[in-house]
Amino acid sequence: MMQHILVIDDSRDILDLFRDILEAEGYEVSLAESVPTNVRDLDPPHPNLVILDYRFGKQQEIWQFMQSMENCRATASIPLILCSTDLQVVDNLEDYVERKHIPVVYKPFDIDELALTVHQTITPRLASYGP
């Protein structure tokens, strides 16, 4: 079964880049240009991974989305990867990110680094469903 990744970023160019990279790695990819206001509105409803752009000016909205994912039974086990251009913005979440084992990929990113981070993040979840 193909693993499905939802990428949320406000830049169409970045979304297209993610799609190209991740599809070449064998993943099915859905794209969203904005953070859903309700985690029950995720499309697809149960992705294997969410890659979320953490950007300046949208911290509160993104923080609320992350908290909603964590607090909703249907989405609590979906792993996240944060992606950002701003080291200082992500530093504000350092304790939370470390405690929740959420990887951070900084833009501009290395394609091989992104692919490895995705694989390492999605694999433990899939292994837990094995025989």
Side-chain angles (χ1 to χ4, degrees):
M1 182 168 89
M2 189 175 284
Q3 300 151 3
H4 202 125
I5 299 172
L6 171 61
V7 182
I8 304 169
D9 194 295
D10 63 344
S11 167
R12 180 39 99 186
D13 291 338
I14 297 294
L15 287 171
D16 291 341
L17 177 62
F18 270 105
R19 183 188 59 232
D20 292 345
I21 293 167
L22 296 172
E23 285 180 350
E25 292 292 320
Y27 299 105
E28 187 174 352
V29 180
S30 292
L31 307 173
E33 291 186 42
S34 62
V35 176
T37 55
N38 187 331
V39 293
R40 288 180 170 79
D41 295 335
L42 286 178
D43 184 25
H46 301 286
N48 298 97
L49 174 68
V50 173
I51 299 175
L52 180 61
D53 179 37
Y54 196 83
R55 58 198 172 277
F56 182 76
K58 297 286 186 176
Q59 298 100 310
Q60 188 63 33
E61 175 184 342
I62 294 166
W63 174 251
Q64 288 172 344
F65 174 76
M66 290 169 55
Q67 289 295 298
S68 295
M69 278 191 68
E70 181 180 340
N71 293 327
C72 177
R73 175 189 258 165
T75 59
S77 65
I78 298 172
L80 281 170
I81 293 176
L82 292 182
C83 192
S84 183
T85 58
D86 193 338
L87 180 63
Q88 185 176 0
V89 170
V90 177
D91 278 349
N92 295 334
L93 286 178
E94 184 175 10
D95 291 338
Y96 180 81
V97 167
E98 286 181 13
R99 190 173 66 251
K100 298 296 181 182
H101 306 286
I102 299 172
V104 178
V105 174
Y106 292 99
K107 298 175 191 172
F109 52 79
D110 177 80
I111 292 171
D112 293 332
E113 176 191 347
L114 173 67
L116 179 62
T117 302
V118 166
H119 179 73
Q120 289 173 336
T121 305
I122 209 168
T123 300
R125 178 167 184 225
L126 294 173
S128 68
Y129 294 109

